[in-house]
């Protein structure tokens, strides 16, 4: 744990290297999440890690409290990053990058699970799961490119009316479609 390492502290426990800290607080879906991000671009620390191109090391402490039960859990994540100076120079910016990554990841998984029931799939052998994932990616890409606003309704509509699907794909002429 580099952030609590004694070499970063004086005999009195004071930090001797630059560690930037940002705290965030979010409340949603019946829980409160408190995050503390610590970021360092200290050359001594990064040199010890011996990773080519490494520019930052970070730590994120996530404390989650369930509103109904008051139950609290704590997770600690450590990471390394290669970030350009224009990308980030502060813990605030790195916190935004990390939260943005998970927002994209969660949004993608939610579509896959709610629209195509990917988690309930019984295809588990050979290359079947990869093929199904590739087909799902293809459909998501086509829907995005076609500016589909509601994936579930488009999915249901095209299953019920294949001619509209072919028209949407430009393979069959039909009157104007509305989603």
């Amino acid at each position: 744990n580099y952030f609590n390492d004694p070499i970063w502290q004086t005999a009195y426990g004071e930090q001797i290297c630059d560690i930037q800290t940002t705290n965030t607080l979010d409340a949603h879906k019946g829980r409160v999440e408190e995050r503390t991000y610590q970021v360092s671009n200290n050359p001594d620390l990064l040199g010890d890690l011996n990773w080519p191109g490494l520019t930052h090391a970070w730590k994120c402490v996530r404390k989650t409290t369930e509103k109904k039960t008051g139950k609290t859990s704590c997770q600690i994540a450590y990471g390394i990053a290669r970030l350009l100076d224009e990308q980030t120079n502060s813990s605030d910016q790195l916190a935004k990058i990390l939260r943005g990554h998970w927002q994209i990841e969660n949004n993608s998984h939610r579509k896959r699970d709610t629209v195509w029931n990917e988690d309930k799939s019984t295809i588990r052998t050979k290359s079947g799961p990869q093929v199904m994932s590739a087909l799902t990616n293809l459909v998501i890409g086509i829907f995005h490119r076609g500016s589909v606003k509601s994936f579930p309704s488009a999915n249901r509509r095209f299953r019920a009316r294949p001619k509209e699907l072919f028209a949407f794909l430009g393979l069959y002429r039909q009157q104007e479609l509305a989603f």
Side-chain angles (χ1 to χ4, degrees), residues 98-116:
L98 293 172
R99 292 293 291 153
H101 165 77
W102 285 110
Q103 183 177 10
I104 291 167
E105 187 74 22
N106 290 338
N107 192 24
S108 172
H109 178 74
R110 184 180 172 279
K111 278 183 186 159
R112 292 172 167 284
D113 194 32
T114 58
V115 178
W116 288 281

Side-chain angles (χ1 to χ4, degrees), residues 128-142:
Q130 289 87 356
V131 170
M132 291 306 297
S133 182
L135 291 172
T136 300
N137 287 340
L138 175 66
V139 172
I140 289 171
I142 290 170

